[in-house]
Amino acid sequence: MRKQRRKQFKREERQARYNAADVSDKLILNLRDLGHIMRRQYEGKASQKRILIVLYREGTTTQSALTERLGVQPGTASEVLAKLESAGLIQRDASAVDRRTMDIRLTEAGTAAALEAVEQRQNRHKAMFEVLSDEEKLTLLGLLEKLNGDWELRFSDGENSSPPCKARNNHISHHGTTER
């Protein structure tokens, strides 16, 4: 009971701060909250599902290329790849080009699992925006692209900034369905 009251008090306190905030602060608070929700909904940088999707879309690749693509440490990728290999979803073979590297490819079971993961991701993405009409989605997309472009120019510090999402240019995307 005490825990519930404490949670309720925190909710009310957050709501009071939100109500007192100006529009810019409310925008930031909403973007932050949406970011948290998206992280919970998303597979994660080096999840098994994400790796399967990347391999499905990109085909055979090396572990170093995959690690770079995912933006994770080599040890993290190795651990997940070992689990995928044990499950029979990927196969690692010595590269014909460079025997020091391993080529990673999906097995038949891995391809099936990747297709299932892609479908789950697409369904999740659609569900996340069901509350909006098609017109509202396009309006939101335009506003987000405008903000994204502006913030990339003004707030990018070079070294410490992540590369911009290429989905808007029909390049490979980590966000979902616009990938080729």
Side-chain angles (χ1 to χ4, degrees), residues 149-156:
D150 179 62
W151 290 4
E152 235 351 275
L153 291 173
R154 292 193 305 138
F155 304 121
S156 171

Side-chain angles (χ1 to χ4, degrees), residues 131-149:
V131 69
L132 301 176
S133 69
D134 288 343
E135 184 178 333
E136 289 170 324
K137 289 175 195 173
L138 290 173
T139 300
L140 177 60
L141 178 61
L143 292 169
L144 291 173
E145 287 175 343
K146 182 177 182 176
L147 271 177
N148 198 355

Side-chain angles (χ1 to χ4, degrees), residues 2 17 22 55 81 98 102 108 142 149 151 157-158 176 180:
R2 207 173 182 180
R17 281 195 311 264
D22 67 13
L55 288 171
L81 290 171
D98 181 354
M102 299 295 280
E108 194 173 311
W151 290 4
D157 65 358
R180 288 183 172 182

Side-chain angles (χ1 to χ4, degrees), residues 34-48:
L34 288 170
H36 289 305
I37 292 167
M38 288 177 65
R39 271 190 294 285
R40 281 195 310 267
Q41 293 296 311
Y42 206 69
E43 294 100 13
K45 277 185 162 183
S47 74
Q48 292 183 18

Side-chain angles (χ1 to χ4, degrees), residues 34-169:
L34 288 170
H36 289 305
I37 292 167
M38 288 177 65
R39 271 190 294 285
R40 281 195 310 267
Q41 293 296 311
Y42 206 69
E43 294 100 13
K45 277 185 162 183
S47 74
Q48 292 183 18
K49 285 182 180 180
R50 178 136 187 257
I51 288 174
L52 291 172
I53 291 170
V54 169
L55 288 171
Y56 175 74
R57 292 204 167 129
E58 295 185 8
T60 301
T61 190
T62 63
Q63 184 166 332
S64 62
L66 184 63
T67 300
E68 185 178 325
R69 166 74 168 83
L70 297 172
V72 297
Q73 296 297 316
T76 301
S78 291
E79 185 179 324
V80 179
L81 290 171
K83 290 177 183 176
L84 290 169
E85 189 173 31
S86 293
L89 300 175
I90 66 164
Q91 184 171 332
R92 293 193 262 194
D93 300 305
S95 170
V97 177
D98 181 354
R99 292 282 179 203
R100 296 172 294 167
T101 63
M102 299 295 280
D103 286 337
I104 303 165
R105 66 176 181 81
L106 291 174
T107 62
E108 194 173 311
T111 300
L115 287 170
E116 183 179 332
V118 167
E119 184 178 345
Q120 288 171 350
R121 178 188 277 183
Q122 289 170 342
N123 290 338
R124 185 175 55 249
H125 288 180
K126 285 179 187 171
M128 290 172 82
F129 295 100
E130 282 178 342
V131 69
L132 301 176
S133 69
D134 288 343
E135 184 178 333
E136 289 170 324
K137 289 175 195 173
L138 290 173
T139 300
L140 177 60
L141 178 61
L143 292 169
L144 291 173
E145 287 175 343
K146 182 177 182 176
L147 271 177
N148 198 355
D150 179 62
W151 290 4
E152 235 351 275
L153 291 173
R154 292 193 305 138
F155 304 121
S156 171
D157 65 358
E159 275 181 38
N160 296 324
S161 67
S162 58
C165 174
K166 303 293 185 200
R168 291 176 306 281
N169 300 323

